[in-house]
Structures are given as C-alpha cells and as structure tokens.
Amino acid sequence: MFLTSGADVNKFFVSSFLAGVSFLAISPARAEEAADAAAEVAAAEADGSAIVVTGARGRIQRSVADSPVPIDVIGPQELKNTGRTGLKEILGNIIPSLSMPALGGGGTSASVRPISIRGLSGDYVLVLVNGKRRHTTSLINNLSRISGGSTPVDIDLIPTSGVGRIEVLRDGAAAQYGSDAISGVINIILDNTARGGELSVTGGQLYEKGGALAQVSGSYGVGLGDGGFARFAVEAKYHDRADSSAEPVPYVYPLVDGQPDPREADANHLIAGGYGRSNRDKIVNTSYNAELPLGDDTTLYSFSTLSYRNIKDARGAYFASATGYGGLANSSGASVLPQLYPAGFQAYRRIWEWDFQAALGLRSEFAGWSLDVSSSFGRDNVKLGAENTLNPSLGPDSKSSFFMGRQKQDLWVNNLDISRDLDLGLARPVSLSLGVEHRWERFRNIAGEPDSYRDGGYVIPLDDTPFGQLYGGRSPSPGLVSFTGTSPADASSISRNNVAAYVDVSADLTPGWFLGLAGRFEHYSDSAGNTFSAKASTRVELAKGLALRGGVNTGFRAPSLAQTAFSTTQNTVTVIGDERVSTVSKFLPVNSAAAIALGAKPLKPEKSLNFTAGVTYETGPFRLTVDAYQIRIDDRIVKTEFLGTASNGGAAIKDILVANGIDDVDSAQFFTNAIDTRTRGVDVVGEYTLDTALLGTFRLNAAYSYNRTKILHVIDNPDELSTLNVTLFGRQAQRDLVAALPRSKVVLSSNWSLDKLRALVRVTRYGQYTESSNVAASDRTFGAKWVTDAEIGYQLTDNFDIAVGANNLFDLYPDRNGAVAADGSGLYGNFAPFGLSGGFYYARLGVKF
C-alpha cells in the first residue's frame, strides 16, 4: 500500500532508512535508561504531578494539578503516537480547541496553513521555545478566508523529534509574556535527555488519493562537562499532494473537427491538480538543546532550530484554453495563449524557505536572586516562485517559470529576568519576579524578476484562428496569469523596536488559597505606541482534590509589521453568489497614499479583556477540569472587502486609485482596525488511569471544547468613503469569523499497554460549520463528523519497536455539499478540519540506542 506514487519517494525513503540504520551504535543500557525516563515523564503527566514552567514565574514549582490556570502537558510519546508528522496537525489532533481548515484560501495559505485556537486566529496565541519568544512567519495569509491576514508562528518548522514536551496554557498571558498572548501560550520545550538516541522511520499514504509520505527522524544526546548535555535532533520528510476532485473532465484538448484530439488518450483528465492536499513538500528540520554548568550556581545554555522547506503547490484554478474547449468555463480569456498552452494549464506556486532561531543565555544566582539573561535571533526567509504559467503580455515568447520575490521576517529578543522568594509569614514564601525585554523586528518584501509583474505590451493578432477571432486586437493583462510577482512598487522594508518591563507576584495566602498578580508595560517605536496589561489569577481548594480557579486579564496584540507594510497585486478569483469572478486587485499598505485616500489609518494594537472561571477535581487516578472563558477583543485587524468592484464602490473607487497612482486594477484592499468581537466558550477535560494485573494499563481521556464568537461592532465607513455605496467588511467576511470553524469538538481517547503490546484509539467529533457567501442563499453547511484514529505497536526488543496505524481509519469525507468548479474541485468545500482526502495509513519503525 505504501509509497507507490513515484521513484523519488522510494529513493528518499530507502536512502534515509539506510542512512539511519548505518548510524546506529546500539547500547541496551542507554536504551533502558531512556525508556525509564520516558516512563517517569508519562506517569507524571498522567497523575498531574508534572512540573510546569509556563505561566508560573519564580522559584516555587507548580504542577498541572495545582495550577491556577488550565495547562495541558503533552509528552513525546503522545506526540509520536498520533501518527501525524507536523506539530500543527499533531496539536490539532490532541488539543480540542485548536482547529485548522483543509484549505483556508489561496496563495501561500494553501501551503502554510493557518490555525485557529478557541475560535481565534493563530496571531492570538504566543509561541515560546524553551520559554523564549519565537519569531513569526514572513508569509502573510492575505488570501485566506480563515484567519485572514494573520502572520502566526509556523510551528511545523520545529522538529518533533527534538521536543521534550509541550505546555499549552489556555488563558491570556500578555501581562506575563507580552503581545500575542491573548488566547493562550504554547511553550515548546526541547528534549534535554543527556544521553542515548532514538531513530524513527515512517511511511504511509492515503487510502485512495495518493499523498505518499516518507519521514525519518532521530535525536541523540551527549554529556558536556560536569552535568551538562547537548541534544541534537533531525527530521526529514517528503509528503506528496493528493487530489480529491470530482469526475474527470471529458476533454483536455480542443476538439478537432468535432472529434477528440488523439492526445486525449495520454492526457490527465483529473486536472484540478491540488484540490485536497494541494502541495508536494520536502522538509528538513533540525535542532539542538545544550547546557553547560560553569560552577555551582551558574549554567550556560543555548538552543537552536534550523529548517529548510521546498514546496510545489498546485492550489489554484486550472486555467482553461481561451476558446473554452474541454467542457471548462472560460476562466481566463485572452490570458491563456494557445501557442504555449493549447489545452490550458495548472499553475504551480513554488516556495523555498530557510528558517532558523538561535538563543544563548546564562542562569545564575546572585545575592539571593535567581538571574536569567538571554539573547535570541530568528529569521524566516522565503523565496517565492511560479512554474507552468506565463506572463501573456510578453506574448508567445513568455517563459514558464518565474522568480516572484522574497519575504523575510527577523526577530531579535533580549531578556533579563530576576526572581526571588520572600518570607512574609504566609503559608509559602511570596514569589517575586521582575524583568525587562528588548525586541527588534523587521519585515522585508523584496521584488521579483521584472517578467513576473511587468507589462510586455503584446497585442493579440487578429487572424482566422478561433483565438484570433475572439481576442484579436486585445492586450492581455500584465503579470502572471496565476500569481503575480512582487514589483518594486510593492516592495518594502520596515522595522521597529520594543522595550518592556514586567512584575509578577504570587503567593499562597493560606495553605489552600493561591493568588497571583502581574503587570506589564510595553513601548513600541511605531504606531502601536504604549500599552499596559494586567492579570490576576487565583485558586481556592475547597476540599481535598476539589478546587475553584479563575482570573481576569487584559491583553493586546500589536499589529504585525507585515500587516502594516505588505503590498501585492494579485490575480484572484472572487466568488459572488455561485459565480466565480476573475479580478485583478491591489493589496495596499496602510501608510500608502492610495490607502489613506480610501480612509486607511495607522494600525493600532488590538486590546483584549479575558475572564476565566473553572473547577478542578482529582482523586486517585481520576482528574476532571471544567473551565469557562470569555475573550473580548476590540479594534480587531481585518481585511476590507474588495473596494472598487461593480457592487462595492465601482468607478468612484477606481477614480480615487488612479488619482493616487494605482491603475490597471479592478479593486483594492487594506488592513484596518474594523471590528469588536466577543468569544465565549468552555473546555472540559477528564482523565482516568486504570491499572489491572491481567489486562494491562488503560489511560482514558475525554475532552470537549465549545466556543462561539459574536461580532459586537463594525466601524462605520471612513469619511473618505461616507458618500459612496461601499461595504467595508461584508457578509462573507463576517460569517467566516463566526461560522467557518466548528464551534464544538470532542476528543475521546484510550491508550492501552500490556507488557510489550500497546494500542491507541482516538475518536474525534468535529461539529458542523458553514462556508458562507455574500448571498445567504449560497451558504453551504457541512454536518458534524466522527473521525477515528488508531495505532497498535509492539516492542520487539529493548531497542526496537514497530507500529501501524491509521488517521481517519474509516476513510471519512466531508458532506458532498461544495460548489463544484468546472475542473472538478470544490466537491467537499474547503474548510473541513479533518481534511478532504479520506483515510491515511502508515507504518513506523523505532530504534533506541
């Protein structure tokens, strides 16, 4: 069943496997030591005694069980047993409040998929690595309908094999960590196992749709000095795309005298190319984590990740031959030159990405204070390209591959954190933490080659061919038919500085009553200005094992630099009702003359107010937590509608654009602080461990998440547009915020082990969701689905284990309720959180040494 989609997959899989095996120097003692450590961690996570570092500053250690805010701890074995191969999909499989659409939208969003947590985009969750802020992606989700305009951290560029555990704080924490920590914090803590190694080889594919996968991952630790360590990890993956289109088109080539072209016999009639899993990617992720004691009270530490990703993405329309043959709609008119593409073409977006983060720090004790000083630098560097397309304005001499530009995001963070315990006669010492932070960040949008955006001036000749008769005398649109390169006018470089200071005080006022207070002030050198955030949290133990917890906090998210400076000219397809309309639109930076003429204002921070209240109960092997929350966000940053279309401003908007140097476009968009929202929800988690002498150990888990977002206010049109018939933030965009993701998600799992045999079954219910339109009659609602994952493994020896499993075991698909395009795509819609391509089946071999 596995790896049947091409020789390149097999070569990658076999060579990686042989390389890994040749690396092995198996030591049973080290393997047993690593196994014992893993078992100890798993037991701590199961009974709630695992010590957490996220959201709890200072010296006093707190466990999951006595935390005043909800925290999930996900260990390495749980990460591995999902059978998934990227942290986004792994966490989406485990964390009920995290969701990710199959296809959030076009452009780079189809490849670097946006996520949503508690119904909010990934922009509102802060990602840390070893407690230090991680840089965001440089790829803005400007064409994504879900989480549109977001620039979150891309956690898929961190090797799973290098992760020791992940702590997920499900509460606002801007007062402790700063911007972005509105819906929560994900702290990815790298593996610190000092000795021994692991190697894992995984292969699999979809049941019907292809999507072959080959992955090799491993890690190895060595001792450093007296009590130090260095842990290295690497992960290499090849994943092919999968097509879930409807029936093939009857003809690809134009008819010849009313008869099929002879080339039809060898043509691919399933031409959508990427509806489902749209991209073919190759990823190599690496990391190290190291500590070196310099004395009794001082430790030098460093960690880093380095990744390379190569994506060939087929997401986007199939561009039919301009004469409309093959049963396809005439989607691109004069732009598909028959001299180059007589049967039309499927364009491919290319992404070549280098990403890294490196940190160096020192922990020490000084005059009774604990000291941590650190500096880290991260960069996401993306080269964009296009293949199998053309710039029709260059005529039949146009080439087919183009360099479209680069996007870069840099982040340099310097921290000084100090803490000490103060004995004030309370039940436990008061924990006092103080800190200062400096951040410098920069976003660059770099122009591509001229042929990717320029107007070559070609005029279609008027001749006796069907194409010449239809379009003779016309000039095709400039730029690429599929994706448009970045022009010098769209290029930008923007940076800013940030300085922050915080104080965090917490104490057990009585043996059963905890209280924590935090405040943080930040100053930005750009329009984000000054902000202050505060947080109060508490936990009261009512009886043994029974406690109430909750808190209130204010937060903020400064606009990303990409949201301020990003600009592009895009050839895209907008759905109005059931009709797909091709448009050329300009995305304007908010500080440009054209955007200002349309009423754009400098972006300001989004402000939040969070309330949370919960109850926890644990006795023996059973633990239950119920946490309700409300998150209000004011001045949320969203994209405007396409301003200038026939139904939204029309000629009046185009006149404003032309007057400010923007012509040859149909419409324009920009970012603005446009709406206020309120999200309410509840998270319920129940865990039970059953140990039996004859039947083994059962770890049972049930989790439920529900959230609902309501739009409280939409700003009025700016004065510049007040006399025009313009909708700034329309029906579809509003509906996508409140109905595009399932409001509820249930995850039921059973992890069983008996001697050398183990099995995992996880059943997830995804609630219904709606893919909305600007016209209510064209809304499409997709029903709830139960999706089953399963894995069974066996420990062959102390060093070797095998596992086979399935994600979406019963090959389940979304409802067949989508708007099907002429190329066969759209059958299952786009937003399904469990994918569009059915069941995935895999096998894994693991080695410890």
Side-chain angles (χ1 to χ4, degrees):
M1 174 186 299
F2 300 127
L3 305 173
T4 59
S5 68
D8 51 350
V9 185
N10 292 312
K11 289 178 181 178
F12 179 93
F13 182 85
V14 173
S15 62
S16 299
F17 176 77
L18 292 176
V21 172
S22 66
F23 177 69
L24 298 181
I26 298 172
S27 167
R30 287 186 177 180
E32 184 176 351
E33 178 184 342
D36 291 343
E40 184 177 335
V41 171
E45 292 163 0
D47 66 14
S49 62
I51 300 301
V52 295
V53 297
T54 309
R57 295 189 182 272
R59 297 181 177 182
I60 298 176
Q61 296 182 329
R62 296 200 173 272
S63 68
V64 173
D66 62 12
S67 172
V69 293
I71 294 181
D72 301 314
V73 178
I74 304 167
Q77 193 61 42
E78 189 173 4
L79 294 173
K80 183 187 302 181
N81 288 350
T82 64
R84 285 163 169 82
T85 57
L87 283 180
K88 284 182 187 176
E89 290 200 1
I90 289 172
L91 295 184
N93 186 243
I94 296 173
I95 301 174
S97 58
L98 191 151
S99 184
M100 182 169 53
L103 295 170
T108 55
S109 302
S111 301
V112 185
R113 291 160 59 191
I115 63 173
S116 176
I117 296 180
R118 287 185 162 183
L120 303 173
S121 80
D123 273 351
Y124 299 105
V125 63
L126 175 64
V127 177
L128 309 173
V129 176
N130 282 356
K132 308 301 179 183
R133 177 181 287 264
R134 176 82 173 180
H135 61 281
T136 63
T137 180
S138 64
L139 294 171
I140 188 168
N141 290 311
N142 65 301
L143 291 181
S144 177
R145 287 178 55 185
I146 293 180
S147 302
S150 62
T151 54
V153 173
D154 190 352
I155 59 176
D156 278 343
L157 298 179
I158 299 172
T160 308
S161 56
V163 176
R165 71 181 188 276
I166 298 177
E167 297 179 359
V168 181
L169 170 66
R170 291 182 277 116
D171 189 29
Q176 296 168 295
Y177 297 107
S179 178
D180 306 341
I182 288 180
S183 63
V185 177
I186 297 176
N187 190 5
I188 300 171
I189 300 172
L190 300 179
D191 191 0
N192 62 0
T193 306
R195 296 184 181 276
E198 296 186 4
L199 177 71
S200 176
V201 182
T202 303
Q205 71 176 44
L206 293 162
Y207 181 64
E208 295 178 300
K209 307 295 185 181
L213 165 76
Q215 176 172 287
V216 177
S217 60
S219 66
Y220 188 75
V222 296
L224 288 181
D226 183 13
F229 69 90
R231 188 81 185 179
F232 302 91
V234 63
E235 182 177 82
K237 180 179 72 172
Y238 173 96
H239 205 169
D240 203 0
R241 63 177 178 264
D243 196 341
S244 299
S245 302
E247 294 298 321
V249 297
Y251 304 114
V252 172
Y253 294 93
L255 299 176
V256 179
D257 296 328
Q259 298 300 315
D261 189 295
R263 292 173 293 178
E264 296 287 359
D266 298 321
N268 175 18
H269 291 78
L270 196 61
I271 62 174
Y275 174 65
R277 189 182 190 280
S278 63
N279 55 289
R280 174 183 294 138
D281 55 28
K282 300 173 185 177
I283 301 177
V284 179
N285 293 330
T286 65
S287 70
Y288 76 78
N289 187 29
E291 292 187 5
L292 177 64
L294 301 180
D296 292 339
D297 298 321
T298 303
T299 299
L300 179 70
Y301 65 87
S302 179
F303 60 88
S304 179
T305 64
L306 173 64
S307 300
Y308 172 73
R309 176 161 54 190
N310 184 323
I311 293 177
K312 184 176 182 178
D313 180 26
R315 176 63 174 159
Y318 179 91
F319 294 93
S321 58
T323 49
Y325 287 107
L328 296 174
N330 188 349
S331 62
S332 47
S335 296
V336 181
L337 303 183
Q339 301 95 323
L340 295 177
Y341 297 106
F345 64 92
Q346 169 70 66
Y348 296 95
R349 177 182 284 275
R350 296 304 310 270
I351 298 174
W352 298 272
E353 182 173 15
W354 283 97
D355 182 279
F356 75 90
Q357 179 187 24
L360 179 67
L362 188 75
R363 290 192 296 267
S364 187
E365 299 288 328
F366 178 76
W369 291 85
S370 294
L371 170 74
D372 186 340
V373 57
S374 65
S375 181
S376 68
F377 182 82
R379 170 176 291 175
D380 186 50
N381 181 355
V382 178
K383 175 183 176 182
L384 299 173
E387 292 181 1
N388 202 47
T389 183
L390 79 160
N391 181 341
S393 73
L394 301 178
D397 293 332
S398 172
K399 58 184 182 179
S400 60
S401 296
F402 301 84
F403 164 57
M404 296 170 53
R406 287 184 182 272
Q407 291 177 207
K408 296 182 180 182
Q409 177 71 45
D410 298 331
L411 177 65
W412 180 32
V413 184
N414 301 287
N415 290 96
L416 172 62
D417 302 292
I418 59 175
S419 63
R420 71 178 301 167
D421 295 337
L422 305 175
D423 190 355
L424 301 182
L426 300 175
R428 295 172 70 179
V430 175
S431 180
L432 172 65
S433 298
L434 305 168
V436 293
E437 179 179 271
H438 167 259
R439 295 204 310 269
W440 173 84
E441 53 187 322
R442 178 175 62 180
F443 170 75
R444 285 176 284 176
N445 194 22
I446 300 171
E449 63 174 294
D451 282 354
S452 71
Y453 57 81
R454 73 182 179 96
D455 187 346
Y458 175 70
V459 178
I460 299 171
L462 182 61
D463 54 31
D464 59 359
T465 65
F467 182 73
Q469 292 173 2
L470 279 173
Y471 301 111
R474 297 190 189 183
S475 298
S477 59
L480 305 185
V481 174
S482 48
F483 326 100
T484 302
T486 302
S487 70
D490 290 325
S492 62
S493 178
I494 184 174
S495 63
R496 69 182 173 197
N497 284 279
N498 163 278
V499 291
Y502 74 87
V503 59
D504 192 327
V505 182
S506 61
D508 288 287
L509 302 180
T510 70
W513 180 18
F514 168 86
L515 179 65
L517 301 171
R520 186 183 186 96
F521 172 81
E522 301 213 13
H523 168 72
Y524 287 84
S525 61
D526 63 359
S527 64
N530 300 326
T531 64
F532 178 78
S533 301
K535 179 174 182 176
S537 60
T538 189
R539 180 180 182 274
V540 180
E541 189 168 353
L542 303 178
K544 185 177 180 180
L546 178 64
L548 298 177
R549 65 185 181 189
V552 58
N553 62 85
T554 62
F556 72 100
R557 192 194 76 83
S560 70
L561 293 179
Q563 288 176 327
T564 299
F566 179 74
S567 177
T568 187
T569 303
Q570 53 202 29
N571 293 322
T572 187
V573 176
T574 303
V575 179
I576 301 177
D578 287 331
E579 183 182 357
R580 296 170 182 252
V581 179
S582 296
T583 108
V584 179
S585 179
K586 180 81 169 180
F587 205 99
L588 302 169
V590 296
N591 57 358
S592 66
I596 294 172
L598 293 174
K601 301 293 190 296
L603 297 177
K604 54 187 177 181
E606 301 165 293
K607 298 294 183 71
S608 69
L609 176 61
N610 296 27
F611 296 94
T612 181
V615 59
T616 68
Y617 177 72
E618 57 182 322
T619 175
F622 175 74
R623 183 163 78 248
L624 175 68
T625 64
V626 181
D627 293 280
Y629 59 89
Q630 175 177 294
I631 306 172
R632 172 164 177 152
I633 305 177
D634 291 342
D635 300 319
R636 282 185 68 167
I637 298 171
V638 296
K639 300 179 297 182
T640 68
E641 295 290 323
F642 290 98
L643 306 177
T645 62
S647 60
N648 203 25
I653 296 291
K654 293 179 183 178
D655 289 343
I656 296 175
L657 293 173
V658 171
N660 287 275
I662 307 296
D663 51 15
D664 296 325
V665 300
D666 301 319
S667 59
Q669 290 179 289
F670 54 86
F671 286 114
T672 184
N673 296 94
I675 60 172
D676 302 337
T677 63
R678 183 188 65 208
T679 301
R680 289 175 173 170
V682 62
D683 294 329
V684 182
V685 179
E687 299 169 320
Y688 181 71
T689 301
L690 175 64
D691 284 312
T692 67
L694 296 178
L695 299 178
T697 300
F698 297 84
R699 300 189 189 280
L700 307 176
N701 182 285
Y704 170 76
S705 176
Y706 174 86
N707 65 76
R708 181 172 184 174
T709 296
K710 181 178 181 180
I711 297 175
L712 302 178
H713 175 68
V714 179
I715 63 171
D716 296 330
N717 287 341
D719 293 340
E720 292 82 353
L721 304 179
S722 60
T723 60
L724 303 179
N725 183 22
V726 169
T727 300
L728 203 64
F729 189 61
R731 181 184 187 277
Q732 184 185 75
Q734 293 187 36
R735 293 277 300 166
D736 285 347
L737 272 178
V738 302
L741 295 170
R743 289 178 178 169
S744 65
K745 184 177 176 181
V746 178
V747 182
L748 307 174
S749 62
S750 173
N751 199 330
W752 168 78
S753 60
L754 175 63
D755 194 21
K756 297 182 178 182
L757 188 64
R758 68 182 187 278
L760 169 70
V761 176
R762 179 178 286 112
V763 181
T764 305
R765 181 190 183 274
Y766 300 89
Q768 76 171 30
Y769 58 94
T770 299
E771 298 190 11
S772 302
S773 171
N774 286 318
V775 180
S778 297
D779 288 355
R780 299 176 185 274
T781 297
F782 297 79
K785 299 291 182 182
W786 290 88
V787 178
T788 302
D789 302 333
E791 179 177 294
I792 185 167
Y794 187 76
Q795 192 75 35
L796 295 170
T797 70
D798 289 341
N799 306 103
F800 288 89
D801 71 88
I802 60 172
V804 294
N807 300 324
N808 193 352
L809 177 64
F810 301 112
D811 196 33
L812 194 70
Y813 287 79
D815 296 339
R816 298 167 70 95
N817 194 31
V820 182
D823 62 6
S825 63
L827 179 65
Y828 306 109
N830 291 322
F831 296 170
F834 56 91
L836 306 172
S837 303
F840 180 85
Y841 306 89
Y842 63 91
R844 183 176 67 247
L845 171 65
V847 183
K848 293 181 179 180
F849 53 96

